[in-house]
Amino acid sequence: MKIDLEQISLSDQAPSAEPQRQYYFMARAREHVRGLEKKLGRRPVCCVTTFGCQMNARDSEKLVGILETVGYEITENENADFVIFNTCTVRDNANQRVYGRLGALNGYKRRNPHMKIALCGCMMQESAVIDKLKKSYGFVDLIFGTHNIYKFAELLTACFEREGMVIDIWQDTDKIVEDLPVERKYPFKSGINIMFGCNNFCSYCIVPYVRGRERSREPGDIIREIEELVADGVIEVMLLGQNVNSYGKNLKNPTTFAQLLRQVEKIEGLKRIRFMTSHPKDLSEELIQVMKESNKICRHLHLPLQSGSTKILKGMNRCYTKEQYLELALRIRKEIPDISLTTDIIVGFPGETMEDAEDTMDVIRKVKYDNAFTFIYSKRTGTPAAAMENQVAKEQVKEAFDRVLKAVQETAKEQAARYQGQIQEALVEEINENDPTLVTGRLSNNMLVHFPGGASLIGQLVRVSLDQCHGFYYMGRMV
Ligand code: SAH
Ligand code: SF4
Ligand code: F3S
């Protein structure tokens, strides 16, 4: 989306309505960036670094959209004139990485005092983090959270006009601001937020505290955004939400996720639809049918298990049992045999015994996951699980983790091999990282295939013969 900032008069007061207010601040921030350009004798550069999930990646595209609109050039180098970290706090190692990288930024800033450093995202919604930043990271210029990211242009302006650290954190919001600029990473595919926040309060998870309550976007706004993206060259979309299966429940005219998918399917020119994430407790029969009948919905479902033990699932507040999960997963396998099922697993939740881990491995072997992300439980302050007394010893977690990982690798390898010799459609995403004579494409089931080809194929759907399975990917050739 292009906004004409020339039309905006900076001698007027800032409008109070959104998104007009942000357009006004984009015009004002652009004046500051122009001033900086004169001073430096070159175009100012900025770097956006993303931690965390697809939701954060999409938010970063919004940050980039605004930074480009106000005149920055985008670079991947963190030694830039403006650097922003979009943070994640789902596990402690995500936080530690942010602190580590901040140290390096401080070094750059000492040499370039005009440099501005900003932090946003999930980690900033934790008051202990803000206290620590104020105390020990005084060189940071701007801090904001997840609920007011739409105000980025306004906050950036404040950062130019005010001395000291600018901090703006909201506890929650019911607001969704549409029509702000976005600059996507890939011209041919894009994430789309269909909802924000989460109401599930899984007992280990910090997301509901840092992303607030569940809010769905209006179907009309979603469809319009996708139509605009398609007109701009997008052929694959990923519908994003923490639990897409509860999409639409809180709208004025409630809609189901399956109904939304039916509408998205009708968009002409759109070739592929993905979505993430599906909570098993809310996955409807209607969704299975829509997936089964669809020509566009990809043959991939990410269905987080977390644990295969009913006892642990109860402690996690996941609202399903081992048997219910198995029944659902196996029904999906039966209804849509060529689907790829992937999952998330946590090992070491409070109270977990080796017997519980065995239950998890049992589910892995029965469902035969095509892939799984396995995480070691991380204690998140403020969540109910953090206060549980029966935290598991590190050594036991390590042993269970290794065994679960091995089970996952075995099923994944076996599953991957089942496409050997098939011809499938792949969306070419990029030149192969290691061999520039190859391109890398993504299959409907989310697996990657590498095959001979050039840059002109990027963004195209091509038919590929899957010649050689290498565990998690294929080597192939175009047919
Ligand atoms: N909304 C998604 C997941 C978002 S977080 C869902 O419900 O599936 C992504 C994954 O991180 C989760 O599925 C879970 O496996 C993992 N995770 C969340 N909190 C965690 C914690 N405290 N320790 C370890 N892993 C965690
Ligand atoms: Fe976290 Fe559970 Fe919400 Fe997923 S559904 S974001 S795991 S609380
Ligand atoms: Fe992390 Fe926030 Fe996503 S905590 S996983 S970036 S919602």
Side-chain angles (χ1 to χ4, degrees), residues 10-180:
L10 291 177
S11 50
D12 294 348
Q13 272 211 329
S16 54
E18 299 293 1
Q20 290 74 16
R21 183 176 172 86
Q22 296 315 309
Y23 299 163
Y24 169 90
F25 281 107
M26 281 175 224
R28 204 150 124 185
R30 193 173 61 161
E31 288 305 302
H32 291 294
V33 177
R34 279 180 178 158
L36 184 62
E37 178 162 0
K38 271 211 190 98
K39 213 170 90 186
L40 299 172
R42 59 167 173 83
R43 186 141 167 232
V45 290
C46 73
C47 178
V48 178
T49 302
T50 312
F51 299 82
C53 65
Q54 313 248 12
M55 240 77 59
N56 256 21
R58 183 62 177 162
D59 282 347
S60 288
E61 293 185 344
K62 298 173 188 172
L63 300 172
V64 170
I66 289 169
L67 287 163
E68 280 199 339
T69 305
V70 304
Y72 281 101
E73 196 176 323
I74 309 296
T75 160
E76 308 243 304
N77 183 346
E78 284 177 4
N79 191 359
D81 303 301
F82 182 88
V83 178
I84 181 161
F85 284 177
N86 190 5
T87 64
C88 170
T89 186
V90 77
R91 286 170 290 275
D92 187 54
N93 54 9
N95 297 44
Q96 295 316 320
R97 274 170 50 218
V98 168
Y99 289 124
R101 296 272 278 275
L102 265 178
L105 291 192
N106 192 19
Y108 299 141
K109 188 166 177 169
R110 271 199 228 114
R111 270 164 275 149
N112 302 306
H114 75 276
M115 178 181 182
K116 293 208 181 293
I117 299 172
L119 296 170
C120 68
C122 295
M123 203 176 142
M124 300 305 124
Q125 292 296 138
E126 292 181 278
S127 56
V129 170
I130 302 300
D131 293 343
K132 180 165 173 171
L133 291 168
K134 277 195 210 157
K135 201 165 146 237
S136 315
Y137 295 81
F139 57 89
V140 174
D141 300 281
L142 169 63
I143 298 175
F144 58 98
T146 55
H147 305 300
N148 53 349
I149 186 167
Y150 75 86
K151 272 183 70 182
F152 178 47
E154 184 169 352
L155 294 165
L156 183 64
T157 309
C159 189
F160 276 112
E161 294 175 4
R162 273 195 244 153
E163 287 293 316
M165 212 185 242
V166 175
I167 305 184
D168 191 12
I169 309 285
W170 297 3
Q171 280 326 304
D172 206 348
T173 182
D174 50 13
K175 212 167 170 157
I176 296 177
V177 178
E178 300 282 347
D179 295 326
L180 289 171

Side-chain angles (χ1 to χ4, degrees), residues 184 187-188 190 192 223-237 264 267-272 296:
R184 38 174 214 282
F188 50 88
S190 180
I192 318 273
I223 299 296
R224 186 166 51 96
E225 183 179 352
I226 300 177
E227 284 171 348
E228 284 168 9
L229 287 167
V230 170
D232 194 36
V234 165
I235 59 172
E236 177 178 302
V237 291
V264 176
I267 297 174
E268 228 170 284
L270 181 67
K271 298 280 169 49
R272 279 181 165 186
K296 295 186 181 176

Side-chain angles (χ1 to χ4, degrees), residues 238-468:
M238 164 87 87
L239 308 179
L240 298 171
Q242 293 298 350
N243 175 12
V244 293
N245 295 332
S246 71
Y247 169 79
K249 284 186 183 151
N250 51 5
L251 287 171
K252 250 189 271 126
N253 300 311
T255 320
T256 65
F257 179 54
Q259 285 166 337
L260 177 72
L261 279 173
R262 282 212 173 90
Q263 287 188 53
V264 176
E265 172 105 20
K266 285 192 201 128
I267 297 174
E268 228 170 284
L270 181 67
K271 298 280 169 49
R272 279 181 165 186
I273 305 166
R274 298 184 186 277
F275 53 83
M276 184 155 254
T277 301
S278 266
H279 195 307
K281 79 177 164 71
D282 297 311
L283 196 144
S284 66
E285 188 54 41
E286 190 192 7
L287 177 65
I288 299 176
Q289 289 314 313
V290 170
M291 287 188 80
K292 196 173 161 177
E293 289 158 18
S294 167
N295 296 319
K296 295 186 181 176
I297 301 174
C298 288
R299 288 312 191 227
H300 174 214
L301 182 68
H302 188 66
L303 193 64
L305 167 69
Q306 313 302 0
S307 168
S309 150
T310 297
K311 176 193 97 191
I312 296 296
L313 286 167
K314 192 152 189 278
M316 287 178 161
N317 190 30
R318 288 291 288 181
C319 307
Y320 51 83
T321 62
K322 176 185 181 186
E323 289 70 30
Q324 284 168 329
Y325 183 97
L326 269 176
E327 196 272 329
L328 175 66
L330 297 178
R331 182 150 45 98
I332 295 167
R333 280 257 186 251
K334 189 156 152 256
E335 294 274 341
I336 315 171
D338 57 344
I339 203 163
S340 151
L341 282 177
T342 60
T343 203
D344 289 347
I345 293 165
I346 298 176
V347 179
F349 182 83
E352 189 179 76
T353 62
M354 208 36 107
E355 209 170 87
D356 296 314
E358 288 291 347
D359 270 328
T360 302
M361 288 181 265
D362 188 41
V363 176
I364 294 169
R365 291 186 190 113
K366 286 189 169 128
V367 175
K368 294 193 196 329
Y369 291 109
D370 294 79
N371 205 351
F373 296 105
T374 311
F375 305 109
I376 288 180
Y377 168 72
S378 171
K379 198 168 165 177
R380 308 315 290 136
T381 311
T383 62
M388 292 179 184
E389 278 167 9
N390 41 1
Q391 306 283 327
V392 187
K394 265 207 179 103
E395 308 73 58
Q396 188 194 321
V397 177
K398 177 83 179 71
E399 192 194 333
F401 181 84
D402 290 345
R403 288 179 56 190
V404 168
L405 194 64
K406 194 157 163 266
V408 164
Q409 284 165 347
E410 279 165 11
T411 67
K413 205 169 150 207
E414 186 187 327
Q415 285 294 105
R418 67 185 172 142
Y419 306 103
Q420 180 83 43
Q422 288 188 7
I423 291 174
Q424 286 201 16
E425 217 167 44
L427 173 56
V428 182
E429 296 195 337
E430 56 205 1
I431 298 284
N432 185 291
E433 274 179 14
N434 305 315
D435 180 349
T437 67
L438 302 177
V439 290
T440 299
R442 194 176 293 274
L443 304 175
S444 172
N445 66 17
N446 213 35
M447 275 185 90
L448 296 180
V449 55
H450 308 288
F451 54 96
S456 62
L457 292 174
I458 294 175
Q460 297 205 33
L461 277 168
V462 296
R463 288 168 63 75
V464 181
S465 162
L466 305 176
D467 295 337
Q468 258 177 9

